[in-house]
Amino acid sequence: MGIRRVCVVLASVLALAGCEEVGNAAEEANSFADRASVCAEALGLADLNPLVDPEKLKQRAADKEQRLRDLAGDVADEDVKSSLLGLADSYLQVQKERLEDAGVVARWVKRNTARLDALRKACT
């Protein structure tokens, strides 16, 4: 009777350990899927046409900034989060610029390209 009880306890412990491993694997898979989803959406947001009305451009930049901040709040990966916040800051910055000046737009595009590259790197 004692050996049977030990076997039952041992089987229960092994089953629980297996469930925990499956749970951890599922959690990792969900985290990866969430990161991939956030990255895909963020990279899709990363456009801004400087050839539109400056007020419309600023409003689009404000919308993109807010969405990027929301996405940063949804992702656990710190590198992705940091890249998203850097990109959001870029859209905040463009809202404050004199967009009628082609030099200002060109400098912003250059800085934003570097931030997009950082996001792409963090997402891979």
Side-chain angles (χ1 to χ4, degrees):
M1 195 90 144
I3 292 178
R4 186 172 184 192
R5 180 177 279 169
V6 170
C7 288
V8 169
V9 170
L10 184 57
S12 297
V13 168
L14 290 174
L16 289 175
C19 288
E20 184 177 335
E21 285 182 27
V22 169
N24 288 343
E27 190 174 305
E28 268 186 46
N30 285 340
S31 174
F32 179 77
D34 291 344
R35 186 177 93 173
S37 174
V38 164
C39 287
E41 183 176 346
L43 290 168
L45 287 171
D47 71 328
L48 200 60
N49 182 356
L51 302 176
V52 299
D53 172 56
E55 288 307 310
K56 186 175 181 180
L57 182 102
K58 287 180 181 186
Q59 182 56 51
R60 289 193 65 216
D63 293 344
K64 289 173 186 282
E65 175 208 355
Q66 184 57 53
R67 185 62 189 138
L68 289 164
R69 291 190 191 288
D70 292 344
L71 289 171
D74 292 343
V75 70
D77 185 293
E78 289 300 320
D79 291 334
V80 173
K81 183 179 292 201
S82 176
S83 294
L84 288 168
L85 292 174
L87 200 52
D89 289 345
S90 176
Y91 282 102
L92 176 63
Q93 183 181 18
V94 79
Q95 295 171 56
K96 299 175 182 179
E97 299 282 349
R98 263 193 58 237
L99 299 173
E100 298 81 17
D101 182 345
V104 168
V105 173
R107 285 188 298 276
W108 179 82
V109 167
K110 184 177 180 180
R111 284 190 309 267
N112 206 48
T113 300
R115 289 180 174 148
L116 275 170
D117 288 342
L119 177 61
R120 282 187 194 99
K121 183 178 177 185
C123 286
T124 55

